[in-house]
Coordinates of all heavy atoms in Angstrom, one line a residue:
E736 N 56.9 16.2 37.4 CA 56.1 15.0 36.9 C 54.7 15.0 37.3 O 53.8 14.3 36.7 CB 56.8 13.7 37.3 CG 56.8 13.4 38.8 CD 57.9 14.1 39.6 OE1 58.6 14.9 39.1 OE2 57.9 13.7 40.8
S737 N 54.3 15.7 38.4 CA 53.0 15.8 38.9 C 52.1 16.8 38.1 O 50.9 16.8 38.3 CB 52.9 16.0 40.4 OG 53.3 17.4 40.7
W738 N 52.7 17.7 37.4 CA 52.0 18.8 36.7 C 52.4 19.2 35.3 O 51.6 19.7 34.6 CB 52.0 20.1 37.6 CG 53.4 20.5 38.0 CD1 53.9 20.3 39.3 CD2 54.4 21.2 37.3 NE1 55.2 20.8 39.3 CE2 55.5 21.4 38.1 CE3 54.4 21.7 36.0 CZ2 56.7 22.0 37.7 CZ3 55.6 22.4 35.6 CH2 56.7 22.5 36.4
R739 N 53.6 18.9 34.9 CA 54.1 19.5 33.6 C 53.3 19.0 32.4 O 53.0 19.8 31.5 CB 55.6 19.1 33.4 CG 56.2 19.7 32.1 CD 56.1 21.2 32.2 NE 56.6 21.9 31.0 CZ 55.8 22.3 30.0 NH1 54.5 22.1 30.0 NH2 56.3 23.0 29.0
A740 N 52.8 17.8 32.4 CA 52.1 17.3 31.2 C 50.7 17.9 31.1 O 50.0 17.9 30.1 CB 51.9 15.7 31.3
L741 N 50.2 18.5 32.2 CA 48.9 19.2 32.2 C 48.9 20.6 31.5 O 47.9 21.1 31.1 CB 48.4 19.3 33.6 CG 48.2 18.1 34.4 CD1 47.9 18.4 35.9 CD2 47.1 17.2 33.8
A742 N 50.1 21.2 31.5 CA 50.2 22.6 31.0 C 49.8 22.7 29.5 O 50.1 21.9 28.7 CB 51.6 23.1 31.2
R743 N 49.0 23.8 29.3 CA 48.5 24.2 28.0 C 48.8 25.7 27.8 O 48.5 26.5 28.7 CB 47.0 23.9 27.8 CG 46.6 22.6 28.1 CD 47.0 21.6 27.0 NE 46.6 20.2 27.3 CZ 47.4 19.3 27.9 NH1 48.6 19.6 28.2 NH2 47.0 18.1 28.1
F744 N 49.3 26.1 26.7 CA 49.5 27.5 26.4 C 48.5 27.9 25.4 O 48.4 27.3 24.3 CB 50.9 27.7 25.8 CG 52.0 27.5 26.9 CD1 52.5 26.2 27.1 CD2 52.4 28.5 27.7 CE1 53.5 26.0 28.1 CE2 53.4 28.3 28.7 CZ 53.9 27.0 28.8
T745 N 47.6 28.9 25.8 CA 46.5 29.3 24.9 C 46.5 30.8 24.7 O 47.1 31.5 25.5 CB 45.2 28.9 25.6 OG1 45.1 29.5 26.9 CG2 45.1 27.4 25.8
S746 N 45.9 31.2 23.6 CA 45.8 32.6 23.3 C 44.4 32.8 22.7 O 43.8 31.9 22.1 CB 46.8 33.0 22.2 OG 46.8 34.3 21.9
P747 N 43.7 34.0 23.0 CA 44.3 35.1 23.6 C 44.3 35.1 25.2 O 45.0 35.8 25.8 CB 43.4 36.3 23.1 CG 42.1 35.6 23.0 CD 42.4 34.2 22.5
E748 N 43.5 34.2 25.7 CA 43.4 34.1 27.2 C 44.5 33.2 27.8 O 44.8 32.2 27.2 CB 42.0 33.6 27.6 CG 40.9 34.5 27.2 CD 40.9 35.9 27.8 OE1 41.2 36.0 29.0 OE2 40.6 36.8 27.0
R749 N 45.0 33.6 28.9 CA 45.9 32.7 29.7 C 45.2 31.4 30.1 O 44.0 31.4 30.3 CB 46.4 33.4 30.9 CG 47.4 34.5 30.7 CD 47.9 35.2 32.0 NE 46.8 35.6 32.8 CZ 46.4 35.0 34.0 NH1 47.2 34.0 34.5 NH2 45.4 35.5 34.7
W750 N 45.9 30.4 30.3 CA 45.4 29.1 30.7 C 45.7 28.9 32.2 O 46.8 29.3 32.6 CB 46.0 28.0 29.9 CG 45.6 26.6 30.3 CD1 44.6 25.9 29.8 CD2 46.3 25.7 31.2 NE1 44.5 24.6 30.3 CE2 45.5 24.5 31.2 CE3 47.3 25.9 32.1 CZ2 45.9 23.5 32.1 CZ3 47.7 24.8 32.9 CH2 46.9 23.7 32.9
Y751 N 44.8 28.3 32.9 CA 45.1 28.0 34.3 C 44.3 26.8 34.7 O 43.3 26.5 34.1 CB 44.7 29.2 35.2 CG 43.4 29.8 35.0 CD1 42.2 29.3 35.7 CD2 43.2 30.8 34.1 CE1 41.0 29.9 35.4 CE2 42.0 31.4 33.8 CZ 40.9 30.9 34.5 OH 39.6 31.4 34.2
H752 N 44.8 26.1 35.7 CA 44.2 24.8 36.1 C 44.5 24.6 37.6 O 45.6 24.7 38.0 CB 44.9 23.7 35.3 CG 44.4 22.3 35.7 ND1 43.2 21.8 35.4 CD2 45.1 21.3 36.3 CE1 43.1 20.6 35.9 NE2 44.2 20.3 36.5
R753 N 43.4 24.3 38.3 CA 43.5 24.0 39.7 C 44.1 22.5 39.8 O 43.5 21.6 39.4 CB 42.2 24.1 40.5 CG 42.4 23.8 42.0 CD 41.1 23.7 42.7 NE 40.5 25.1 42.8 CZ 39.2 25.3 42.5 NH1 38.4 24.4 42.1 NH2 38.7 26.6 42.7
L754 N 45.3 22.4 40.4 CA 45.9 21.1 40.6 C 45.4 20.4 41.9 O 45.3 19.1 41.8 CB 47.4 21.3 40.8 CG 48.2 21.8 39.6 CD1 49.6 22.1 40.0 CD2 48.2 20.8 38.5
H755 N 45.0 21.1 42.9 CA 44.6 20.5 44.1 C 43.8 21.5 45.0 O 44.1 22.7 45.0 CB 45.9 20.1 44.9 CG 45.7 19.4 46.2 ND1 45.2 18.1 46.3 CD2 45.8 19.8 47.5 CE1 45.0 17.8 47.5 NE2 45.4 18.8 48.3
R756 N 42.8 20.9 45.7 CA 42.1 21.8 46.6 C 41.9 20.9 47.9 O 41.4 19.7 47.7 CB 40.8 22.2 46.0 CG 40.0 23.1 47.0 CD 38.8 23.7 46.4 NE 38.2 24.6 47.3 CZ 37.4 25.6 47.0 NH1 37.0 25.8 45.7 NH2 36.8 26.4 47.9
A757 N 42.2 21.4 49.0 CA 42.0 20.7 50.3 C 41.4 21.7 51.3 O 41.3 22.9 50.9 CB 43.3 20.2 50.8
E758 N 41.1 21.2 52.4 CA 40.5 22.2 53.4 C 41.5 23.3 53.7 O 42.6 23.1 54.1 CB 40.3 21.4 54.7 CG 39.5 22.3 55.7 CD 39.1 21.5 57.0 OE1 39.1 20.3 57.0 OE2 38.9 22.2 58.0
G759 N 41.1 24.5 53.4 CA 41.9 25.7 53.7 C 42.9 26.2 52.7 O 43.4 27.3 52.8
Y760 N 43.1 25.4 51.6 CA 44.1 25.9 50.6 C 43.9 25.2 49.3 O 43.2 24.2 49.2 CB 45.5 25.7 51.1 CG 46.1 24.4 50.9 CD1 47.0 24.1 49.9 CD2 45.7 23.3 51.7 CE1 47.5 22.8 49.7 CE2 46.2 22.0 51.6 CZ 47.1 21.8 50.5 OH 47.6 20.5 50.4
E761 N 44.5 25.8 48.2 CA 44.5 25.2 46.9 C 45.7 25.6 46.2 O 46.5 26.5 46.5 CB 43.2 25.7 46.1 CG 43.3 27.2 45.8 CD 42.0 27.7 45.2 OE1 41.1 26.9 44.8 OE2 41.9 29.0 45.1
V762 N 46.0 24.8 45.1 CA 47.2 24.9 44.3 C 46.8 25.0 42.8 O 46.0 24.2 42.4 CB 48.2 23.8 44.5 CG1 49.4 23.9 43.7 CG2 48.6 23.6 46.0
W763 N 47.4 26.0 42.1 CA 47.0 26.2 40.7 C 48.3 26.2 39.9 O 49.4 26.5 40.3 CB 46.4 27.6 40.5 CG 45.1 27.8 41.1 CD1 44.8 28.0 42.4 CD2 43.8 27.8 40.4 NE1 43.4 28.1 42.6 CE2 42.8 28.0 41.4 CE3 43.5 27.6 39.1 CZ2 41.5 28.0 41.0 CZ3 42.2 27.6 38.7 CH2 41.2 27.8 39.7
L764 N 48.1 25.8 38.6 CA 49.2 25.9 37.6 C 48.7 26.9 36.6 O 47.6 26.8 36.1 CB 49.4 24.5 36.9 CG 50.4 24.4 35.8 CD1 51.8 24.6 36.4 CD2 50.4 23.0 35.2
L765 N 49.6 27.9 36.2 CA 49.2 28.9 35.3 C 50.3 29.0 34.2 O 51.5 28.8 34.4 CB 49.2 30.3 35.9 CG 47.9 30.6 36.8 CD1 47.9 29.9 38.1 CD2 47.8 32.1 37.0
T766 N 49.8 29.2 32.9 CA 50.8 29.4 31.8 C 50.6 30.9 31.3 O 49.6 31.5 31.4 CB 50.5 28.4 30.7 OG1 49.2 28.7 30.1 CG2 50.7 27.0 31.2
W767 N 51.7 31.3 30.7 CA 51.8 32.7 30.3 C 52.6 32.8 29.0 O 53.8 32.5 28.9 CB 52.6 33.5 31.3 CG 52.2 33.4 32.7 CD1 52.5 32.3 33.6 CD2 51.5 34.3 33.5 NE1 52.0 32.5 34.8 CE2 51.3 33.7 34.8 CE3 50.9 35.5 33.3 CZ2 50.7 34.4 35.8 CZ3 50.2 36.1 34.3 CH2 50.1 35.6 35.5
L768 N 51.9 33.1 27.9 CA 52.6 33.3 26.6 C 53.2 34.7 26.7 O 52.8 35.6 27.5 CB 51.7 33.2 25.4 CG 51.2 31.8 25.1 CD1 50.1 31.8 24.1 CD2 52.4 30.9 24.6
P769 N 54.2 35.0 25.9 CA 54.8 36.4 25.8 C 53.6 37.4 25.6 O 52.8 37.2 24.8 CB 55.7 36.4 24.6 CG 56.2 34.9 24.6 CD 55.0 34.1 25.0
G770 N 53.6 38.4 26.4 CA 52.7 39.5 26.3 C 51.4 39.3 27.2 O 50.6 40.2 27.4
Q771 N 51.2 38.1 27.7 CA 50.0 37.9 28.5 C 50.3 38.3 30.0 O 51.4 38.3 30.4 CB 49.7 36.4 28.5 CG 49.1 35.9 27.2 CD 48.7 34.4 27.2 OE1 49.3 33.6 27.9 NE2 47.7 34.1 26.5
G772 N 49.2 38.7 30.6 CA 49.3 39.2 32.0 C 48.0 39.4 32.6 O 46.9 39.2 32.0
T773 N 48.0 39.7 33.9 CA 46.8 40.0 34.6 C 46.5 41.5 34.7 O 47.4 42.3 34.5 CB 46.9 39.4 36.1 OG1 47.9 40.3 36.8 CG2 47.3 38.0 36.1
E774 N 45.3 41.8 35.1 CA 45.0 43.1 35.5 C 45.5 43.3 36.9 O 45.9 42.3 37.6 CB 43.4 43.3 35.6 CG 42.8 43.1 34.2 CD 41.2 43.1 34.4 OE1 40.7 44.2 34.8 OE2 40.6 42.1 34.1
I775 N 45.5 44.5 37.5 CA 45.8 44.7 38.9 C 44.7 44.0 39.7 O 43.5 44.3 39.5 CB 45.9 46.2 39.2 CG1 46.9 46.9 38.3 CG2 46.2 46.4 40.7 CD1 46.8 48.4 38.4
H776 N 45.1 43.2 40.6 CA 44.1 42.4 41.4 C 44.6 42.1 42.8 O 45.8 42.1 43.0 CB 43.7 41.1 40.6 CG 44.9 40.2 40.6 ND1 45.9 40.3 39.7 CD2 45.1 39.0 41.3 CE1 46.8 39.3 39.8 NE2 46.3 38.5 40.8
D777 N 43.7 41.7 43.7 CA 44.1 41.1 44.9 C 43.4 39.7 44.9 O 42.9 39.3 43.9 CB 43.7 41.9 46.1 CG 42.2 42.1 46.4 OD1 41.4 41.2 45.9 OD2 41.8 43.1 47.0
H778 N 43.4 39.0 46.0 CA 43.0 37.6 46.1 C 41.8 37.4 47.0 O 41.6 36.4 47.6 CB 44.1 36.7 46.4 CG 45.2 36.8 45.4 ND1 46.2 37.8 45.5 CD2 45.4 36.3 44.2 CE1 47.0 37.7 44.5 NE2 46.5 36.8 43.6
G779 N 41.0 38.5 47.2 CA 39.8 38.4 47.9 C 39.9 38.0 49.3 O 39.0 37.4 49.9
G780 N 41.0 38.4 50.0 CA 41.2 38.1 51.4 C 42.0 36.8 51.6 O 42.3 36.5 52.8
S781 N 42.5 36.1 50.6 CA 43.3 35.0 50.7 C 44.8 35.4 50.7 O 45.2 36.3 50.0 CB 43.1 34.0 49.6 OG 41.8 33.4 49.7

């Protein structure tokens, strides 16, 4: 109930939304249509 209504499914790019940011951490919501994905990546030291 705190995040579901925010979700959007978009194409061609994936959709993402920061739900919360506080000192030292953050929380994101990401959507993925069939066939969508990321490149190989890391998280810059996080």
Side-chain angles (χ1 to χ4, degrees):
E736 68 278 7
S737 70
W738 49 260
R739 184 59 183 97
L741 300 170
R743 305 288 178 264
F744 291 88
T745 60
S746 181
E748 300 297 320
R749 289 179 306 110
W750 178 90
Y751 48 91
H752 175 73
R753 183 185 289 133
L754 293 171
H755 181 72
R756 185 173 182 159
E758 187 175 340
Y760 79 105
E761 64 187 351
V762 179
W763 292 79
L764 181 65
L765 282 73
T766 63
W767 313 77
L768 288 171
Q771 290 181 328
T773 68
E774 298 173 64
I775 303 168
H776 67 282
D777 68 24
H778 302 89
S781 294

